[in-house]
Amino acid sequence: MNTTRQGAAVDARGIGVEGPRGWAFQGIDISAEPGTLIAVEGSSGSGRTCLLLALTGRMRITEGTAAVAGLPLPQRMGTVRSRTAIAHVPGVVDLEPALTVGEHLKEQALLGHRFQGLGASLPWSKRHKEATRARVDAALAAVRLDPATLPKGLRTAVRDLERIEALRLSVALGIMHGPQLLAVDDVDLKLSETERAQAWQLLRDLAREGTTVVAAGSDAPADALTVRTTRTKPAAAAPVKDEPSVPVKDEPSVPVKDESADPVETEPSATEQDEPQAPAKDAPHTTEEEAAHAFAETGRA
């Protein structure tokens, strides 16, 4: 399976994530070429969000084998995180209601400068301003978010955006630094029928441009590769040796020039080794919301 610079191939065989309260999801198989739109469908609590986090290197898979952009998981989680991005995941990457559209875009653009050779230029320099403006304009154009249609243009606060506009902004932030794979959660949540069609068309267009897109939602288009998650049985109340998977804090995408010359990540790092954990509790299953809360508590403490 070939991998292009624009998109990441995804190859997963029987992958699953187990936590202290049971399996978030199990037995997922995916075989997708770069530039594929992968739609993840399933009921609430079936592990859709956890699957998105696992495929982007932000949650450790505990069974099966997987490779994203040719990088094995969980052995190369760090590199996979640098080549992927997530958007619209509640509790993991949230828009700040009090900030404006322009502030979100500028902040995200500035984050990329540190990792793409522009960190040395002064924030008020001409080169810095031009690079930031170009990056923001390209992201807005890709998601078809026209500032002129917003109540106060780029000065519009996030709290004043329509749901479809907030989704477009989230995706724009996710693709700003050119990830090979973009994961989007709750694509069509609380959207009208027309808005749902617009949301899926947006992701379809991104995939056609070469970026692999993994999106969780309902009413996926017929031309998408559909993956279904199902509720799993409760875990037995017995001690579990492996530590539960915890989402890893998101970072801006960083191009990696030479995979083979990266000896540090050819083996799992010390922080990614399994550790003993307490006995599992009696609870039905690990939900998507719990995964998001775990991320928020550990990543933002």
Side-chain angles (χ1 to χ4, degrees):
M1 188 176 293
N2 296 325
T3 300
T4 67
R5 178 172 183 150
Q6 297 156 319
V10 179
D11 187 19
R13 294 289 180 269
I15 63 172
V17 168
E18 185 181 19
R21 301 184 179 182
W23 289 94
F25 65 85
Q26 267 185 296
I28 298 298
D29 297 323
I30 304 174
S31 181
E33 294 288 342
T36 300
L37 173 58
I38 305 170
V40 181
E41 294 184 339
S43 59
S44 177
S46 63
R48 297 185 312 177
T49 302
C50 292
L51 178 57
L52 299 186
L53 296 175
L55 291 177
T56 55
R58 291 160 175 83
M59 181 171 282
R60 185 181 180 87
I61 64 172
T62 51
E63 76 168 3
T65 61
V68 175
L71 301 166
L73 289 171
Q75 294 89 342
R76 301 290 297 278
M77 288 176 65
T79 307
V80 170
R81 284 197 301 276
S82 72
R83 300 190 182 191
T84 62
I86 54 178
H88 206 245
V89 183
V92 183
V93 282
D94 292 309
L95 298 176
E96 175 55 52
L99 294 182
T100 67
V101 173
E103 288 169 338
H104 277 91
L105 292 167
K106 184 177 181 180
E107 178 185 50
Q108 187 70 5
L110 291 175
L111 287 174
H113 294 332
R114 293 178 53 199
F115 299 93
Q116 298 185 16
L118 296 176
S121 61
L122 298 175
W124 54 84
S125 68
K126 181 178 180 181
R127 178 192 177 201
H128 194 286
K129 291 181 179 180
E130 289 177 348
T132 299
R133 186 179 301 109
R135 195 174 294 278
V136 168
D137 291 344
L140 290 175
V143 301
R144 299 187 185 85
L145 181 60
D146 184 359
T149 64
L150 304 178
K152 297 181 181 179
L154 292 177
R155 295 194 303 273
T156 303
V158 166
R159 66 167 64 93
D160 297 325
L161 295 177
E162 299 292 338
R163 294 191 67 87
I164 185 65
E165 294 170 341
L167 174 64
R168 291 183 187 276
L169 176 59
S170 295
V171 173
L173 298 176
I175 66 173
M176 191 171 291
H177 304 298
Q180 291 181 273
L181 182 147
L182 174 69
V184 187
D185 200 12
D186 290 337
V187 172
D188 44 21
L189 180 66
K190 297 182 180 179
L191 296 182
S192 66
E193 184 176 350
T194 299
E195 291 173 334
R196 288 188 177 194
Q198 293 174 356
W200 282 111
Q201 185 61 49
L202 164 63
L203 301 183
R204 184 189 290 111
D205 291 342
L206 290 177
R208 287 174 178 171
E209 290 296 320
T211 303
T212 302
V213 179
V214 185
S218 57
D219 299 330
D223 56 346
L225 174 63
T226 303
V227 177
R228 291 182 174 83
T229 56
T230 57
R231 289 181 179 273
T232 56
K233 296 180 180 180
V240 181
K241 295 182 179 181
D242 294 335
E243 185 181 18
S245 299
V246 178
V248 185
K249 190 172 183 179
D250 195 13
E251 300 173 353
S253 300
V254 182
V256 178
K257 296 182 179 179
D258 186 2
E259 300 173 8
S260 61
D262 185 8
V264 177
E265 295 181 348
T266 55
E267 296 294 336
S269 65
T271 57
E272 295 173 0
Q273 299 295 328
D274 293 337
E275 299 176 2
Q277 69 168 23
K281 304 295 183 179
D282 289 331
H285 47 68
T286 302
T287 65
E288 301 167 18
E289 291 78 6
E290 289 170 342
H293 292 326
F295 181 97
E297 292 173 1
T298 59
R300 300 181 182 179

